Amino acid sequence: MPRVGAAAGGARRARAGRRRVGLALAGGGFLGAAYELGVLAALSESIDGLDLTRMDAYVGVSAGSFIAAGLANGVTPHEMVRMFVEAEDADSPLDPELLLRPAFSEWLDALAASPTVMIEAMRAGWRSIGRGPQAMLWRSIEKAGDLLPDGILDAAPAERRLRRLFQAAGRSNDFRRLDRLLRIVATDIDTGRPVEFGAAGFDDVPISRAVIASSAIPGLFAPVRIGGRYFVDGALNKTLHASVALRQGVTMLLCLNPLVPYEGESPPHERRIARSGLPTILKQTIRTAIRSRMSAGMERYGVAYPDARVVLFEPHRDDAATFSTNIFSVTGRRRLCEHAYQQTRRDLVARSAELSPVLAEHGMALNLRVLHDEGLKLVAGMPRPRPSRKRSLGAAVLRLSHALDDLERSVRIGRTSAAPARGARPVARTGRS
C-alpha cells in the first residue's frame, strides 16, 4: 500500500528549479519483479503527467535493477510485462527460465577440487581429535563445505539476453549514453560495501553486467567479477538505497518494496506460519528483516531529506496472495502481476486525498475516471500458449492479439502512451547521465 512521508540536503538544490521525480526499486526475485511491474503499470495508467520512462533518476537493486534499467532505456512497464510475466516469445529477453539453468562450470570446478578438499577435511578432523568426537566431526564438516560451488545457477544466459535488449535500436547498454540518471547498486563481497554502478568511476561497466551483479543472490549465483572485484546482491546493505536518488536533488521519490511480512488473521493455507515448513519460515524471516531495515531507512530519510516526498508502494501485510504465490509458474506470475495492478489502483483511490497534493506539486494528478474503470485488466486470465520459433504464424497472431489489447486499453484510459504496440522503440538517446 502507498505511504507518503517527508524525506534533501540534495533536494534543496532543486527548490529554485523544476521539481525532480525519481524511482527506487527494491529486490525480491521473480515475485518482486512481477509485483513491481503490476504496480508500475497501474501508476503509468492512473497518474496523468507521469512518464515512467522519462524520470529524472532511477535506482535499482537486485530484481528491481533490470526493471530500472529497462525504464531508463525507454521500455515501458507494459512491454516488460510481456517480456517477463507472459514471456510470449520463445526467446523473450526476460524469460525467468533463463535464471534457472545450472551453473555447470561452477559444479565442475567444485568436482575437480573435491579430492583435495576431502583430504583437507580429514586432516582438519584429525587435528581436532583431542577435543572430542563432536569437535572432530564438526571441524570435518566445516572444511567439507568447500566442496560446494560458489553458485548453483548460471546467470550468463540472462546477461546475454539483457545485453541484446539494451543494445537494440534506440537503447543503450552504456550508462554514459543515457540521458537519464541510472544507478544499479551491488555489494562488493570482499568489503561488504555497496557500489553504485553508473556513478563516476563505475559508469564504464555495461548496464547488463551491473544488473547481473546486483541480482547475484549469494548461494544461488556465484559472485560476479567486474574489474578484478567480485559483486553480489545489492540488497545486502539496504533494501531500497533510496538515498542514492535523494542525493541527486529528487523532490518526489516513488519507492517500490514487494516484500513485507505476512500478518493476516487467517494464515495462508489455514496453517500457522510456524507450522508451515522451513521454506515458509525462512520466507517470513527474510521479509521481516527486509521490512524492518527499510522502516529504519525511511525514518532517516525524513530527517536527512526534509524537503523531499517519499511515496512508498508495497503489499498489504494481510495479503495472502502475494505471500503464497508460486512464482515459478507462468500462471503464478500472471496472477500476482494482475493482483498488484488491481490492488495499486484500489490503493490510489483510497489514498487520493493524501497523494493528490504531493502529485500536484510535481504537475501530476490522479485520473479517477481511469481508476474507477472496473473493466481495465493487465494480464487477467490464463496464459496463452507460448509459440516456438518455428511457429511464426502463431507468434504473429499472438502479437496482433496483444496489439489489440493495447489499443483497447489506450482507448479506455484516453491516451496512447500507456502501452505502446509491441515492437515499438523509444527515441534514441545520446546524452550523458
Side-chain angles (χ1 to χ4, degrees):
M1 62 186 297
R3 292 192 177 91
V4 181
R12 294 189 182 95
R13 296 194 299 269
R15 284 179 183 172
R18 69 181 183 86
R19 311 294 281 175
R20 293 169 57 82
V21 182
L23 180 68
L25 302 174
F30 295 162
L31 180 147
Y35 173 85
E36 290 181 347
L37 287 174
V39 174
L40 291 170
L43 295 179
S44 69
E45 293 178 2
S46 306
I47 301 179
D48 292 337
L50 174 65
D51 186 346
L52 289 170
T53 65
R54 299 196 65 79
M55 308 286 276
D56 294 294
Y58 299 87
V59 179
V61 180
S62 193
S65 65
F66 85 80
I67 299 178
L71 292 171
N73 261 292
V75 186
T76 69
H78 293 77
E79 287 181 300
M80 281 189 273
V81 167
R82 298 280 167 76
M83 296 175 185
F84 177 79
V85 178
E86 295 183 338
E88 66 179 27
D89 296 326
D91 60 349
S92 175
L94 301 181
D95 188 344
E97 291 182 7
L98 292 172
L99 296 175
L100 297 177
R101 297 182 180 179
F104 293 112
S105 61
E106 297 290 339
W107 286 100
L108 290 174
D109 289 345
L111 183 62
S114 60
T116 301
V117 173
M118 289 302 297
I119 292 174
E120 292 178 354
M122 288 187 290
R123 287 176 176 172
W126 181 256
R127 287 194 293 268
S128 303
I129 193 171
R131 302 177 186 174
Q134 289 186 343
M136 179 180 177
L137 175 62
W138 285 112
R139 181 58 179 154
S140 297
I141 292 175
E142 178 185 14
K143 195 63 180 176
D146 293 340
L147 286 169
L148 297 175
D150 294 335
I152 61 176
L153 298 176
D154 185 7
E159 181 180 0
R160 289 193 292 268
R161 294 286 181 86
L162 286 173
R163 183 168 61 244
R164 188 176 69 182
L165 173 67
F166 297 146
Q167 289 179 341
R171 299 171 186 161
S172 177
N173 199 32
D174 189 333
F175 286 99
R176 298 165 296 185
R177 293 184 61 83
L178 295 176
D179 65 356
R180 295 288 179 257
L181 184 143
L182 172 64
R183 298 289 184 265
I184 303 298
V185 183
T187 302
D188 186 326
I189 192 60
D190 290 313
T191 65
R193 296 179 179 176
V195 170
E196 300 173 21
F197 290 109
F202 296 95
D203 56 356
D204 58 336
V205 177
I207 295 174
S208 56
R209 187 69 171 171
V211 169
I212 293 301
S214 180
S215 305
I217 302 173
L220 289 180
F221 299 96
V224 177
R225 182 175 180 176
I226 299 177
R229 307 295 295 180
Y230 290 87
F231 298 90
V232 295
D233 196 330
L236 265 62
N237 281 279
K238 296 179 183 178
T239 301
L240 276 169
H241 290 274
S243 58
V244 173
L246 294 170
R247 288 199 306 268
Q248 302 299 323
V250 166
T251 54
M252 183 176 75
L253 183 65
L254 304 179
C255 300
L256 273 63
N257 169 47
L259 301 182
V260 297
Y262 182 76
E263 294 182 5
E265 294 181 1
S266 300
H269 311 304
E270 303 300 323
R271 289 190 296 173
R272 299 184 64 85
I273 289 177
R275 306 300 299 172
S276 297
L278 181 59
T280 301
I281 293 173
L282 290 176
K283 181 164 61 173
Q284 178 78 334
T285 300
I286 292 171
R287 286 165 173 259
T288 301
I290 286 175
R291 188 58 183 81
S292 175
R293 184 175 59 181
M294 194 186 72
S295 296
M298 295 290 283
E299 292 178 1
R300 289 194 297 271
Y301 300 148
V303 175
Y305 306 97
D307 299 324
R309 294 292 182 179
V310 177
V311 184
L312 173 65
F313 292 87
E314 60 183 4
H316 294 208
R317 291 187 176 229
D318 61 352
D319 190 342
T322 301
F323 185 81
S324 58
T325 293
N326 177 11
I327 202 62
F328 292 103
S329 72
V330 176
T331 302
R333 291 195 298 273
R334 288 173 60 89
R335 288 175 177 168
L336 177 59
C337 190
E338 179 69 24
H339 174 75
Y341 171 80
Q342 298 295 351
Q343 185 62 63
T344 301
R345 286 163 48 82
R346 290 191 291 269
D347 285 341
L348 289 173
V349 172
R351 302 179 68 88
S352 60
E354 180 181 5
L355 292 173
S356 292
V358 179
L359 294 174
E361 291 176 3
H362 295 81
M364 303 177 193
L366 291 175
N367 189 323
L368 295 179
R369 180 185 63 81
V370 171
L371 288 170
H372 288 300
D373 186 346
E374 297 181 358
L376 277 173
K377 308 292 182 184
L378 183 60
V379 291
M382 297 302 294
R384 301 176 175 93
R386 212 170 123 181
S388 67
R389 291 187 178 91
K390 295 181 180 180
R391 287 184 285 173
S392 57
L393 178 60
V397 171
L398 184 57
R399 287 172 180 165
L400 176 60
S401 175
H402 282 313
L404 293 174
D405 290 343
D406 290 342
L407 178 60
E408 180 183 5
R409 178 180 292 107
S410 297
V411 171
R412 295 184 77 104
I413 67 176
R415 47 195 159 105
T416 58
S417 61
R422 176 72 174 170
R425 299 295 186 192
V427 177
R429 302 176 179 188
T430 59
R432 295 174 62 90
S433 60

